[in-house]
Amino acid sequence: TGADCSGGVVGLLRHAGVVSNRFDLSADGFAGSSSYRHISRAELLPGDLLHKPGHIGLYAGGGCGVEWMGGAYGCQLTNVDARRGWDFVKHRTSKPGAWTTFLHPTYY
């Protein structure tokens, strides 16, 4: 997809017109920003963010997240509670670990 995790999320937010074209944050920048409220897993709504140190994704709803997992993985729809990603280079599934933080943007 030509994007890393934060680039994918930032690109979607820009495309939707939710943020300005100059908006940019790293994965950990989202978690540390005052523009995002930390919420529990039970409070997740579509459009909220999924975070773990060094990685960010977008909650799609129905227990699924959208995440850009790197060059060998591209953009994938994953299960929030049991993350697995398909490695297109090694032709195998990986288990990248659980999300640790859930974030709700304060601007929508």
Side-chain angles (χ1 to χ4, degrees), residues 14-40:
R14 287 178 182 169
H15 181 75
V18 175
V19 297
S20 76
N21 286 336
R22 292 185 156 165
F23 176 83
D24 196 20
L25 277 179
S26 67
D28 293 338
F30 277 101
S33 171
S34 62
S35 295
Y36 297 87
R37 183 174 52 89
H38 290 243
I39 59 173
S40 71

Side-chain angles (χ1 to χ4, degrees), residues 59-73:
Y59 185 63
C64 294
V66 176
E67 56 182 304
W68 291 257
M69 301 176 83
Y73 297 87

Side-chain angles (χ1 to χ4, degrees), residues 1-5 55 66-78 85-89:
T1 62
D4 62 5
C5 62
H55 193 56
V66 176
E67 56 182 304
W68 291 257
M69 301 176 83
Y73 297 87
C75 179
Q76 297 193 26
L77 185 65
T78 59
W86 179 255
D87 185 324
F88 289 95
V89 174

Side-chain angles (χ1 to χ4, degrees), residues 29-104:
F30 277 101
S33 171
S34 62
S35 295
Y36 297 87
R37 183 174 52 89
H38 290 243
I39 59 173
S40 71
R41 163 70 176 91
E43 296 175 279
L44 275 175
L45 296 171
D48 287 341
L49 302 179
L50 310 165
H51 175 263
K52 62 182 254 170
H55 193 56
I56 195 85
L58 184 70
Y59 185 63
C64 294
V66 176
E67 56 182 304
W68 291 257
M69 301 176 83
Y73 297 87
C75 179
Q76 297 193 26
L77 185 65
T78 59
N79 182 305
V80 171
D81 296 321
R83 289 178 65 223
R84 287 177 177 60
W86 179 255
D87 185 324
F88 289 95
V89 174
K90 296 179 181 175
H91 302 282
R92 66 179 181 181
T93 301
S94 70
K95 298 177 185 177
W99 296 109
T100 57
T101 309
F102 306 102
L103 306 164
H104 179 76

